[in-house]
Amino acid sequence: MADLSTNCAGIKSPNPFWLASAPPANSGDQVKRAFDAGWGGAVWKTLGQPIQNVSSRFAGHGYKGNKAIGFNNIELITDRPLDVNFREITEVKKQYPDHAVIVSLMVETKEEWKDFIKRSIDTGADGLELNFGCPHGMCERGMGSAVGQEPKVNEEITSWAMEYSSIPVLVKLTPNVADIQPHGLAAQRGGADGVSLINTIKSVIGVDIDNFVMRPSVGAQSTNGGYCGSAVKPIALHMLASLARNKDFNLPISGIGGVSTWRDAVEFLLLGATSVQVCTEVMLHGYRVVEDMLTGLNNYMDKHGFKTLNDFVGKAVPSYSEWGNLDMNYETVAKIDADKCIGCYKCMVACHDGAHQCIFPSKDDSRVPVIDESECVGCNLCEIVCPVPDCITMTEVDNGFAPASWNEHVAGTGKLRPKKGAH
Amino acid sequence: MQKQITEDRAETVFEDFKKPYDMKAAVAEANRCLYCEDAPCITACPTSINIPEFIRRIATENIQGSAETIFDSNIFGMSCARVCPVETLCVGDCVFNHMEQPPIQIGKLQRYATDQAFEQDWSFFEPGADTGKRVAIVGGGPASIACAHELRLLGHSPTIFESRDVLGGLNTWGVAPYKMKADRALEEVNWIMQIGGIEVKTGVTVGQDVSFDELKNDYDAVFLGFGLGLDKFLKLEDEGLDGIYGAVEFIEKIKLEQPDVSNVQTAVVLGGGNTAIDAVRQLKGLGIPSVKMVYRGTEERMSGYAHEWEAAKIEGIEGVWHMSPNRFFGENTVTGVLCDVLDQDKKPTGAQQNIEADLVLLAVGQDKQGDIVQSLPGLEIEWGVIKVDSMGRTGCDGVFAGGDCANGAKEVVNATAEGRDAARAIDQYLN
Ligand SMILES: Cc1cc2nc3c(=O)[nH]c(=O)nc-3n(C[C@H](O)[C@H](O)[C@H](O)COP(=O)(O)OP(=O)(O)OC[C@H]3O[C@@H](n4cnc5c(N)ncnc54)[C@H](O)[C@@H]3O)c2cc1C
Ligand SMILES: Cc1cc2nc3c(=O)[nH]c(=O)nc-3n(C[C@H](O)[C@H](O)[C@H](O)COP(=O)(O)O)c2cc1C
Ligand code: SF4
């Protein structure tokens, strides 16, 4: 049994799985049930001045029968009374001393920040998360992503929080920026103990095509919302990795965005996160999803001989390089395992219409396609569309060329192999 | 014109053996489809429906487009979805079979889309510009109707001559009621006829009421789609007793009438083909306590589909193997059939066995009635089957054929494909 415990920016928890600040962490009763189910921490649903929500708040982005590979919401921060929230946080923390309880905050003035931070600390919470991320509703009021998109404002508010807080402070970053790095660095300059990312992505998730109203439809209207769920994972990973590899950025990161399985979590950890937060997957399937996350992570660690999370946190960060440094002489071609092939010809049509026209029908009646390796550029498309596990393998070819990158080629220090499939 | 069939039909007690999908189930199944390129299922379908395309359209909830894809290739797409032996056709060739995953339920998906077309009253076809050419069509089964419909698309004017008073051939009064009932088959015929301009003359037996030569002279072309003849009999002693019927003849009674089987305790069907299996399953379904299928060969070598026989066994039907009927017994009504016991090579062992039965159906094939067109010059007939090329051309100029009378007895889907293709050949001939 591996040690799954973590310390993210000074916030300790028995495992790296935290509920993100969102509906699953909306009340004391819920968070207790989540902890009982196995969650290691919870970032309470964001507290702030009283708001009111609309009816019809969520909508899914469906694909092939899955109604929500992506998810979007137009709800705001908590709509429950503040004193009830603070009372419940105190209660939960008392009952679960070893779990991480983090209070998420979003207010406007320095006075408000001071007041909210004091009341949060009084609950006994383990940390604070400053919500600089919400891309709808709150930003129009000068909060949320309106803060997160301005490094100066971000830095200033962070420094207020640091002034008032005696417990660790995470700054939750918005992905609605061209480059995440200046924003992470701003939080660092403000003195934050860590950052969490990502919050939701500004989105219009779809349109009701018979009623001509965007979704989620609030009567005859709708508005832009925040996109999250499995579909946003690649965006979250990119932002996580860009900060993790930035030499000037030294803060711990809590990774968020599309974590749906233990595999996703492992990817976040490998790219530098020391905890992961989950919202949508819990909204869709309940707290119980953590059970598989815990055993999956544990088995993965055992398989690789990792005793603690630190043994592998950030392990894939060095693999993130610039395109110009990639080895242009690394060459793969697709190979088909004739015994596994079921003859669907998916690879053939994909290569023919979407790649390099080098997969052909079988010459006999076997329906095992034939790959012209001399034309195959090794793009991976056929492997991606093949429905059979391990049937198409991208196989490395020894072409006799020493590794050479584009940058080396430009600098005159590397010799590139002849181009393939470019005629 | 066509007669209405009665609602008092024995077949109405049967429920669908394969349950229909609802929208959700259809979309879920459609989403499993890999959307193969040059898909093997298309090749396996005699009418070459673009199966991955119609399934993708179900997945995107473009059901109207899906039905259109089906009917474009197969105007009997609704029937075929229910009566095709998909296990040996499209579904049998689904690539999932090579992956130890259940194959896509193409028939059930096709049924969903085509049922919707009927329910929503979608129509997809307009007749072509009138050519003034008239084509005589002999028979009113699937081959003939598919041919007539295709001819209308091409602007020609077909006239169907049908000896019965209902259309649809064996698709109406032959296919098992747990696949499809007669009223549904006739609904389909009416739906197809909506294209307009197909003249139908029922109650006319060509060769008796009007000669083939007359048709050939009076029309610009002739299509022969008269199917097979009556059930074969074995010419055994006492075969004329009451309670002995041809299987197809009796199935027709079940489909269109209300035969009384309330006193039958033991029914025996002689044969091992699909008609025999259909017959035993229907007799069992009508409540006859003991139903046996008596066959000369073995279970492994019977010509009926294995998946159908498996279903029959589950329904409680007994197979009796290596038995060849020798003679029948009974006073007025049959009481039993005496059988010669055969060995592995279907040779008599000398032993005999009496099998009791108060209803006996003979399912040993139907007569091939190709000889009724012998008078047409150049037309070749082999073992009662009309010889045609791949487009349904016979050796007689201007005479075409398709369906059971030309393929020797296949399925509704083959008849449909052959009728359609013959219409295209007729179009070429007329132009
Ligand atoms: C018991 C049974 C069950 C079957 N089950 C299935 C099944 O489940 N699935 C499947 O796909 N196929 C099944 N078939 C086969 C299928 O029904 C036939 O292959 C198909 O109907 C052939 O179509 P057709 O148009 O060639 O002939 P038919 O359907 O036989 O139609 C021929 C028509 O011509 C008429 N006719 C005949 N002689 C003349 C004449 N001289 N003048 C005018 N009209 C004439 C007949 O009355 C009939 O209406 C079954 C067949 C039988 C016997
Ligand atoms: C309905 C809903 C409400 C949310 N509310 C908040 C919130 O109040 N505060 C906050 O910081 N993030 C909020 N989020 C964002 C999530 O905490 C999280 O950052 C985002 O959903 C990405 O993670 P996921 O892909 O696991 O859902 C909300 C998300 C959803 C779906
Ligand atoms: S789950 Fe459905 S019923 Fe319940 S609050 Fe949400 S929208 Fe309303």
Side-chain angles (χ1 to χ4, degrees), chain A residues 5-87:
Chain A
S5 69
T6 189
N7 179 342
C8 179
I11 303 167
K12 294 188 183 122
S13 64
N15 65 56
F17 299 108
W18 298 354
L19 291 179
S21 173
N26 197 41
S27 67
D29 170 61
Q30 285 175 287
V31 173
K32 284 184 212 169
R33 282 194 286 117
F35 286 168
D36 290 343
W39 291 89
V43 186
W44 210 271
K45 173 78 185 168
T46 304
L47 309 183
Q49 297 299 356
I51 57 92
Q52 185 156 352
N53 275 310
V54 291
S55 206
S56 179
R57 304 168 196 178
F58 309 144
H61 168 53
Y63 183 71
K64 283 219 156 205
N66 184 328
K67 284 168 75 180
I69 58 158
F71 189 84
N72 126 322
N73 83 91
I74 55 169
E75 79 166 39
L76 307 181
I77 59 174
T78 188
D79 53 8
R80 304 174 70 228
L82 272 178
D83 52 333
V84 176
N85 275 307
F86 282 125
R87 194 180 66 232

Side-chain angles (χ1 to χ4, degrees), chain B residues 83-85 138-144 161-164 166-171 173-176 179 204-207 212 225-228 248 251 275 278 366 369 372 402-405 409-413 415:
Chain B
V83 308
C84 271
V138 183
S144 298
F161 296 86
E162 165 60 53
S163 56
R164 310 279 197 115
V166 264
L167 290 182
L170 287 169
N171 193 45
W173 59 81
V175 300
K179 294 180 187 165
V204 181
T205 300
V206 181
F212 287 96
F226 50 70
L228 303 177
V248 178
I251 286 171
T275 298
D278 279 10
Q366 290 164 266
Q369 51 172 356
I372 60 175
D404 281 359
C405 69
K410 288 186 176 166
E411 313 287 346
V412 173
V413 66

Side-chain angles (χ1 to χ4, degrees), chain B residues 240-252:
Chain B
L241 287 168
D242 283 353
I244 302 177
Y245 300 87
V248 178
E249 173 194 359
F250 201 81
I251 286 171
E252 182 185 331

